[in-house]
Amino acid sequence: MARVLSGLKPTGPVTLGNYLGALRYWVEDQHRDDSFFAVVDLHALTVEHDPADLRALTLEQARCLLAAGLDPDVCTLFIQSHVHEHSELNWLLECTTSFGELRRMTQFKDKSGDQEFVSTGLFTYPVLMAADILIYDADRVPVGDDQRQHLELCRDIALRFNGRYGDVFVVPEASVPTVGARVKDLQEPTMKMSASSASLAGTVLLLDPPADIERKIKRAVTDTESEVRYDPGAKPGVSNLLTILGAATSRTPEDVASGYTQYGSLKADTAAAVVELLLPVQERYRELTGDPAGTAALLEKGAAKARVVASATLARAKDAVGLLAPG
Ligand code: TYM
């Protein structure tokens, strides 16, 4: 059975982009592969944050993953900081990664540009991400398109480490979906839909009430033409709506386009499809909020399962680089 690992960073509420590009595929993956999913809270420390917000967002995201359909009896669901081995492997990998490699990361360039204080953690973030993946011997990492470069780096780090110290790590593959991998902001359709955007007018949140979802989609930026055509270069706004409706109804955007001649009906149908898609997730989320102890217990069980694998890989890696075992 293949091993799968992926993560979600609690820097903001879960978005429709997270759901369409990643989460819903994880729900399928868990039934096919030996799957590990984490709320990667250590990654959220790389930018300025409020400690109380981080705690609340971590729990909210874990609930969202459960509400989306991850079943802790089938997959391993945990909080990254509950498995301290990630941080320890991170150091070994930092010493196997070059400064130049990290400097080339486009997400670092984008994210550091608008920060007054740029932490070292933001710079080395992709190494911790590599540790998250390599520590579970993951074969496959299901992610949206924006994570491709980080996955390439992870592969390079694993190959270099194996080349220097022997066959320690599985070299993972990125698994990027053909539909939904690049959901764009509804107001700025050349940018990724993200909860970190200055305004959330163009970002649909997984837990947005139906009226907000409808309003955001109906106000989505299109263009002055009236032709409905999938052409992300020339018509980014319309193409994004086609992508969202396609992803929500399991069709290709081109397929969806053939059924429309007007932007108005495309928007109305997209809004209706998204509301219908998210409604059961939102209902399950509400049920979970009534049982915080139950969620905490599930996460503790997940961390215990994760630690078994993580500690074995860490021991292998420490031995390979020449760290003297205690005793
Ligand atoms: P994060 O938390 O930003 O996003 C979680 C997942 O959602 C995908 N995604 C999107 N997909 C399509 N359209 C969008 N607009 C969109 N926005 C986000 C992301 O590609 C991702 O798959 N660095 C990672 C977290 C991470 C991780 C890992 C992932 C840490 N360690 C190990 C995989 C394996 C991140 O910031 O994802």
Side-chain angles (χ1 to χ4, degrees), residues 8-307:
L8 177 68
K9 182 173 57 154
T11 40
V14 180
T15 69
L16 179 66
N18 294 136
Y19 186 72
L20 293 180
L23 268 55
R24 68 193 181 122
Y25 292 105
W26 301 357
V27 174
E28 293 170 15
D29 288 330
Q30 69 179 342
H31 297 295
R32 200 178 37 230
D33 296 317
D34 182 15
S35 303
F36 287 66
F37 300 111
V39 177
V40 288
D41 53 350
L42 295 172
H43 281 88
L45 303 180
T46 56
V47 288
E48 212 180 307
H49 70 283
D50 176 79
D53 286 351
L54 175 58
R55 259 187 293 276
L57 274 171
T58 302
L59 186 60
E60 179 179 310
Q61 290 208 344
R63 279 195 191 118
C64 283
L65 292 177
L66 290 165
L70 290 186
D71 178 349
D73 287 329
V74 176
C75 69
T76 304
L77 174 65
F78 63 101
I79 308 293
Q80 180 192 32
S81 67
H82 294 180
V83 184
H84 66 77
E85 284 83 352
H86 291 231
S87 307
E88 212 175 330
L89 182 62
N90 173 58
W91 179 249
L92 270 56
L93 299 185
E94 278 193 20
C95 298
T96 320
T97 309
S98 77
F99 189 82
E101 280 174 316
L102 292 177
R103 215 171 29 192
R104 283 195 289 276
M105 294 293 115
T106 54
Q107 280 212 352
F108 173 72
K109 289 187 214 165
D110 293 347
K111 289 200 171 155
S112 58
D114 56 12
Q115 307 262 337
E116 208 172 290
F117 175 86
V118 179
S119 74
T120 314
L122 188 65
F123 186 61
T124 58
Y125 174 116
V127 186
L128 180 59
M129 179 164 162
D132 299 337
I133 297 165
L134 300 180
I135 207 159
Y136 295 105
D137 289 332
D139 302 289
R140 205 165 63 76
V141 185
V143 282
D145 193 64
D146 61 328
Q147 299 299 317
R148 268 184 205 276
Q149 196 188 27
H150 290 158
L151 257 297
E152 271 310 307
L153 178 68
C154 174
R155 287 170 57 83
D156 290 345
I157 296 172
L159 287 167
R160 184 174 307 123
F161 194 102
N162 287 351
R164 285 186 184 170
Y165 306 114
D167 235 1
V168 174
F169 297 125
V170 171
V171 181
E173 302 268 349
S175 165
V176 180
T178 45
V179 182
R182 247 173 295 175
V183 178
K184 305 292 190 181
D185 188 286
L186 297 169
Q187 289 299 318
E188 284 187 65
T190 52
M191 313 276 286
K192 164 175 96 168
M193 181 182 282
S194 160
S196 326
S197 303
S199 147
L200 289 182
T203 303
V204 173
L205 303 177
L206 191 76
L207 300 177
D208 265 347
D212 290 8
I213 297 175
E214 279 159 11
R215 194 188 60 248
K216 287 177 183 181
I217 293 179
K218 287 188 178 155
R219 291 187 185 162
V221 166
T222 48
D223 52 48
T224 49
E225 293 178 11
S226 56
E227 191 195 355
V228 177
R229 185 176 84 236
Y230 183 68
D231 181 349
K235 298 174 79 73
V238 173
S239 300
N240 191 37
L241 291 171
L242 292 168
T243 297
I244 293 172
L245 181 52
T249 54
S250 306
R251 285 179 293 164
T252 64
E254 290 87 351
D255 226 21
V256 177
S258 64
Y260 290 93
T261 52
Q262 286 184 353
Y263 293 169
S265 49
L266 171 63
K267 285 181 172 178
D269 287 358
T270 305
V274 171
V275 167
E276 192 183 315
L277 185 73
L278 299 186
L279 214 59
V281 179
Q282 298 184 345
E283 270 166 23
R284 280 198 295 273
Y285 183 90
R286 273 191 289 275
E287 286 161 24
L288 288 162
T289 55
D291 183 18
T295 304
L298 292 177
L299 294 171
E300 179 42 38
K301 207 175 101 192
K305 267 164 75 186
R307 261 182 239 121

